[in-house]
Amino acid sequence: MAKVVVDAMAMQRALTRITYEIIEHNKGIDGLVILGIKTRGVFLAERIASRLKQLENASVPVGELDVTKYRDDIEHDGTENDPKVTVSKIDFPITDKKVILVDDVLYTGRTIRAAMSAIMDLGRPKQINLAVLVDRGHRELPIRADFVGKNIPSSQNERIKVSVTEIDGQDSVEIMRQ
Amino acid sequence: MTQRYLILEDGSVYAGNGFGAGATTTGEIVFNTSMVGYQEVVTNQIYHNQIIVYSQPIIGATGISHDSYESILPTAKGMVVRDVATISKNRQRSLSLDQFLKQHNIPGISDVDTRQLIRKLQSVGTIKGSIVDVADDHAFDQLHATVLTNQQVAQVATPKPYPNPNTGYNVVVIDFGLKHGILRQLSQRHCNVTVLPWNADAQAIISLDPDGVILSTGPGSPLDVPESVLEMVRTIQERIPLFAVGLGHELFALANGASMTRLGTAHHGPNHPIRKIITNDIIYAEEAQEYVVDSETVDRNRLITTYLDLIDGSIQGLRHRDYPAFSVQFFPDGAPGPHDSVDLFDEFMEIMGTREG
């Protein structure tokens, strides 16, 4: 049983609001870079960047972050069962930049911790902010998002599924019982 | 049918047939290009002291319904139409247009060549006119001698606060002559609304501890609204999420340092395409404005332009850079007009929501 909790319109609206909040919070877009966490975070990051470009008439660099090898909750045993690690695509320096980290769902916080480790290996940003489309609670680490599309208090035996047009053919957030 | 006349300040006379009330009235002549929604238009208080010319050739065919009032006591000064429907049908109809106009003492005049009249209005701009029984020198003397008030907001806004209780967000609406569409949209979203008079000061608003504040639509010139209101806007926008519509938008722009000019021809109708800059979407909405924000006076360090009219390039929306405060010139409530931008109210709800936790 899947239930749509955020439809396409609401998703557009959430990204629009996050974009305005980013401008409010950072007093403009100077020194800003956006890093999307693979896979869906990247598409959301690109949408936020295109909105910023519409409003401010200036481009904000967007990078793709792969955090798989930084995760503490996936075993790496050197066999073929190892998760596939792709490379991050970030072709700009991040030292002294204000990084906006973008992901689709904030849950335990472990992905974000891994992402921060990945970023620190690349340079020393001036600050890191976190933007997520959905915050579903159940944090296991002291992490909170600066920009939240929608808070969806959920039970741990529910699954939150974010779809984006770019790869899933539609924009939606669904909640389903496992 | 009694013969009556619409006379204009420039000496022109339009003969027609009277309907509605038999009153003699004087007001500014404006024209509206909405295909539907004559009831919402005539009951909207932005038309206080104005005579409305409808470009839609047949008016009155659906009567008057309970759902479509935009004010309790409409104060428009008249309706000018090509044809008035003598028979009206609609499942929601409760009155005919004629009965309604009689009840509110608003005269109507039909069988006027509205196309020719609108062409004239497009070239001469704002002009005074009267609906009279006899178009003689006396009538013109009266017309020329009539001075219309510039205190429209004080005339139509509520003098006292009133509540519209519900269980959701606590919203304060500042009434500059609001259209009911704003309250309707808030009711649908279960907002617990308090409507305050237009001259409420910031402290009175803050003491109600609202989650959000709306500056309503209203009649007249933003330049005639006292400086104290702009002061209130500046105080509130720093503290509480703010959404401003119509006249409210004009005051929001003034409060943030922009200036306004009067349009040569007012926009009244839903047929201007509007570009939503952030997503590059094109929307339609009811525009009803006589003033426009001068785009070169918008301080880019304080305000972001969010919507632009695609026909004349005029600013249709603004947002503050530092605070969750935004405004639109057009009417997003879709009463009447397209519902393309009604989700601005949802956006406002979500902005209030982010400040909760």
Side-chain angles (χ1 to χ4, degrees):
Chain A
M1 256 297 282
K3 189 181 160 216
V4 176
V5 280
V6 175
D7 61 12
M9 284 274 280
M11 192 151 147
Q12 298 292 348
R13 226 166 35 232
L15 292 170
T16 293
R17 178 169 49 74
I18 287 172
T19 306
Y20 284 126
E21 284 175 1
I22 288 172
I23 294 174
E24 260 171 51
H25 188 266
N26 293 290
K27 311 276 172 220
I29 58 168
D30 284 348
L32 222 57
V33 302
I34 304 183
L35 298 182
I37 299 175
K38 280 185 173 179
T39 310
R40 287 172 184 76
V42 175
F43 299 111
L44 300 176
E46 278 164 1
R47 291 199 203 173
I48 291 171
S50 92
R51 282 167 160 78
L52 286 170
K53 185 165 170 34
Q54 283 289 334
L55 290 175
E56 302 282 25
N57 228 347
S59 293
V60 175
V62 182
E64 300 179 13
L65 205 56
D66 188 296
V67 302
T68 319
K69 67 173 175 171
Y70 293 90
R71 295 196 67 109
D72 58 4
D73 50 357
I74 298 176
E75 295 285 334
H76 301 264
D77 54 8
T79 67
E80 59 192 27
N81 298 330
D82 266 12
K84 242 173 79 190
V85 177
T86 53
V87 284
S88 298
K89 267 189 244 158
I90 300 167
D91 50 10
F92 45 85
I94 59 164
T95 298
D96 290 332
K97 299 288 184 191
K98 298 181 192 168
V99 173
I100 309 282
L101 194 55
V102 183
D103 202 3
D104 51 356
V105 182
L106 177 57
Y107 185 23
T108 58
R110 288 183 191 273
T111 312
I112 305 305
R113 197 226 34 93
M116 286 194 283
S117 299
I119 291 170
M120 293 306 179
D121 278 0
L122 293 166
R124 185 184 183 281
K126 194 173 171 193
Q127 72 173 43
I128 302 176
N129 282 152
L130 175 61
V132 295
L133 184 63
V134 175
D135 181 349
R136 63 169 294 191
H138 306 292
R139 216 78 77 239
E140 293 167 6
L141 296 170
I143 283 171
R144 67 183 278 277
D146 302 276
F147 313 106
V148 181
K150 191 164 175 68
N151 283 303
I152 303 179
S154 59
S155 144
Q156 270 174 310
N157 53 34
E158 284 166 331
R159 201 161 82 81
I160 305 275
K161 184 181 172 223
V162 173
S163 304
V164 293
T165 316
E166 290 89 335
I167 49 169
D168 305 302
Q170 61 167 9
D171 281 342
S172 67
V173 178
E174 289 162 285
I175 186 160
M176 32 185 105
R177 290 227 169 267
Q178 280 185 335
Chain B
M1 287 273 185
T2 46
Q3 183 151 55
R4 303 202 75 196
Y5 301 91
L6 171 70
I7 60 171
L8 304 185
E9 235 178 337
D10 67 355
S12 43
V13 177
Y14 294 83
N17 292 310
F19 66 98
T24 295
T25 56
T26 300
E28 271 174 13
I29 314 280
V30 293
F31 67 91
N32 187 299
T33 54
S34 294
M35 301 274 287
V36 293
Y38 58 84
Q39 180 184 349
E40 288 92 330
V41 169
V42 72
T43 57
N44 191 334
Q45 293 290 25
I46 66 159
Y47 296 108
H48 176 65
N49 273 359
Q50 293 185 326
I51 293 171
I52 308 157
V53 183
Y54 289 82
S55 68
Q56 167 69 7
I58 301 178
I59 293 294
T62 52
I64 294 288
S65 81
H66 290 304
D67 298 345
S68 305
Y69 284 96
E70 289 301 308
S71 67
I72 301 167
L73 298 169
T75 56
K77 289 292 185 190
M79 287 175 81
V80 180
V81 305
R82 177 69 192 84
D83 286 321
V84 63
T86 46
I87 297 171
S88 53
K89 286 188 87 164
N90 182 323
R91 70 190 162 83
Q92 290 164 317
R93 174 191 181 280
S94 60
L95 285 174
S96 74
L97 176 61
D98 186 63
Q99 288 168 311
F100 162 81
L101 291 176
K102 284 193 170 92
Q103 283 176 2
H104 293 283
N105 201 30
I106 298 171
I109 181 166
S110 67
D111 303 282
V112 171
D113 184 353
T114 48
R115 287 197 297 186
Q116 194 277 333
L117 176 56
I118 287 170
R119 278 179 179 249
K120 175 195 279 288
L121 295 174
Q122 279 176 327
S123 61
V124 302
T126 307
I127 189 166
K128 244 180 352 183
S130 291
I131 296 175
V132 294
D133 292 324
V134 187
D136 56 6
D137 288 349
H138 175 68
F140 276 102
D141 288 347
Q142 290 282 325
L143 170 58
H144 288 298
T146 304
V147 177
L148 297 171
T149 175
N150 66 354
Q151 301 299 309
Q152 293 100 320
V153 169
Q155 301 271 327
V156 297
T158 180
K160 281 184 180 171
Y162 61 88
N164 184 16
N166 211 318
T167 54
Y169 290 120
N170 201 12
V171 176
V172 164
V173 176
I174 311 297
D175 179 8
F176 296 102
L178 66 85
K179 71 200 299 292
H180 287 182
I182 293 172
L183 296 180
R184 212 175 283 128
Q185 293 298 333
L186 294 174
S187 285
Q188 282 169 11
R189 289 163 182 79
H190 312 293
C191 291
N192 184 40
V193 174
T194 308
V195 181
L196 294 184
W198 65 278
N199 52 4
D201 64 22
Q203 201 45 53
I205 298 165
I206 292 165
S207 66
L208 290 169
D209 192 23
D211 299 309
V213 173
I214 289 187
L215 307 180
S216 85
T217 56
S221 163
L223 306 172
D224 292 329
V225 175
E227 172 65 27
S228 58
V229 173
L230 305 184
E231 203 55 58
M232 175 277 284
V233 175
R234 281 189 287 267
T235 310
I236 293 301
Q237 71 184 11
E238 289 178 21
R239 292 171 173 76
I240 306 168
L242 183 81
F243 178 23
V245 184
L247 181 63
H249 156 86
E250 294 164 9
L251 297 171
F252 175 71
L254 287 175
N256 286 296
S259 66
M260 312 278 310
T261 24
R262 188 156 196 164
L263 286 164
T265 308
H267 303 173
H268 286 284
N271 47 351
H272 280 236
I274 300 165
R275 187 161 75 92
K276 182 177 182 178
I277 293 172
I278 192 164
T279 50
N280 224 4
D281 292 331
I282 293 172
I283 60 156
Y284 284 85
E286 174 84 359
E287 287 185 11
Q289 63 182 110
E290 273 152 53
Y291 290 81
V292 64
V293 176
D294 297 321
S295 49
E296 67 279 9
T297 65
V298 173
D299 179 355
R300 314 276 157 195
N301 295 319
R302 277 163 96 178
L303 297 173
I304 304 171
T305 302
T306 53
Y307 289 87
L308 282 177
D309 186 308
L310 281 171
I311 292 180
D312 64 3
S314 63
I315 289 178
Q316 290 292 328
L318 292 168
R319 187 177 176 112
H320 205 287
R321 255 181 199 286
D322 302 330
Y323 313 115
F326 65 108
S327 67
V328 288
Q329 178 77 69
F330 54 84
F331 296 171
D333 57 306
H339 292 219
D340 296 10
S341 53
V342 75
D343 76 332
L344 280 168
F345 287 95
D346 296 309
E347 198 175 320
F348 186 53
M349 297 300 122
E350 287 156 8
I351 287 173
M352 290 191 284
T354 58
R355 312 239 321 168
E356 258 188 340

